[in-house]
Amino acid sequence: MNTLLSRRASVRPAALAALFAALLAALLALGAPAQAHDTLLESDPADGATLETSPEAITLTFSADILDVSPLVRITDENGEQLAEITPSIDGPVATATLEEPLPAGTSTVQWRVVSSDGHPIEGTFEVTVEQDTAAEETTEAPAEESAPAETAAPAVEGEQATAEAAEEESGSSMTPLLIVLGVAVVGAVVAVLLIMRRRD
């Protein structure tokens, strides 16, 4: 009897220890995911921002240093058509995606994907609205710049006219001595004829 009771007493602490260990492991397993993944703290431009013109870059700031493993930023327009697919540069907790071309006017969706410091990929989306189409403005301004040389053509034409007038003046001035000589010759001929006629009389 005493032996059986002693066995039962020795079993209870072992069972309680095993149960306690199982509960502790379960609590640790439940608490681990809550601390695993990094989160996006802020973006520039911010989600839902309305900008007058397109930003030059999109900056994402996370809660911890992220891994430089296949980061990606994809931008689509209102119709779901892809505008850009960028590999952002990683500097600690900051990912920077530089835009090679400005975003068109309208609402664009920015999709991002990076690898958290714990090695798990994380992703998200946000929207940005641009009011003015920078690319369209540059296209409309280009013809005006090309037409500028036409305005400088007028002085060249005026210069040619001035040269022609100067040539005419020079030719006119060169004819003057010739006309004088001819006039003197005519007068001399008339005087000679008159003298001859008087001598005959």
Side-chain angles (χ1 to χ4, degrees):
M1 177 76 66
N2 291 333
T3 303
L4 181 60
L5 291 175
S6 63
R7 287 181 178 177
R8 289 180 179 178
S10 62
V11 170
R12 288 178 182 177
L16 291 174
L19 180 60
F20 178 76
L23 290 174
L24 181 60
L27 291 175
L28 291 176
L30 291 174
Q35 301 176 354
H37 305 320
D38 302 329
T39 58
L40 179 66
L41 297 181
E42 63 178 354
S43 65
D44 184 17
D47 183 15
T50 299
L51 309 176
E52 184 176 353
T53 58
S54 171
E56 295 181 356
I58 294 174
T59 304
L60 308 172
T61 303
F62 297 88
S63 58
D65 292 354
I66 55 178
L67 302 181
D68 192 0
V69 179
S70 303
L72 180 66
V73 171
R74 182 182 291 115
I75 305 174
T76 56
D77 62 11
E78 297 174 346
N79 299 321
E81 296 183 2
Q82 181 172 302
L83 299 175
E85 186 170 283
I86 308 168
T87 300
S89 60
I90 305 299
D91 185 9
V94 179
T96 303
T98 302
L99 298 176
E100 295 183 357
E101 296 182 359
L103 298 178
T107 300
S108 300
T109 300
V110 180
Q111 301 172 298
W112 56 266
R113 185 183 70 232
V114 298
V115 176
S116 175
S117 58
D118 65 348
H120 291 84
I122 55 176
E123 59 185 11
T125 61
F126 62 92
E127 293 184 346
V128 176
T129 300
V130 175
E131 293 182 341
Q132 297 181 8
D133 195 336
T134 306
E137 290 181 359
E138 293 177 353
T139 303
T140 55
E141 291 175 358
E145 296 177 354
E146 293 176 357
S147 61
E151 297 178 358
T152 60
V157 174
E158 293 177 358
E160 292 177 359
Q161 293 178 350
T163 303
E165 292 175 358
E168 291 178 359
E169 291 178 359
E170 291 179 358
S171 62
S173 60
S174 62
M175 290 291 292
T176 301
L178 181 60
L179 292 176
I180 293 173
V181 172
L182 290 175
V184 172
V186 171
V187 172
V190 171
V191 171
V193 170
L194 290 175
L195 291 174
I196 294 170
M197 293 178 65
R198 283 182 182 181
R199 287 177 181 179
R200 288 180 179 179
D201 294 337

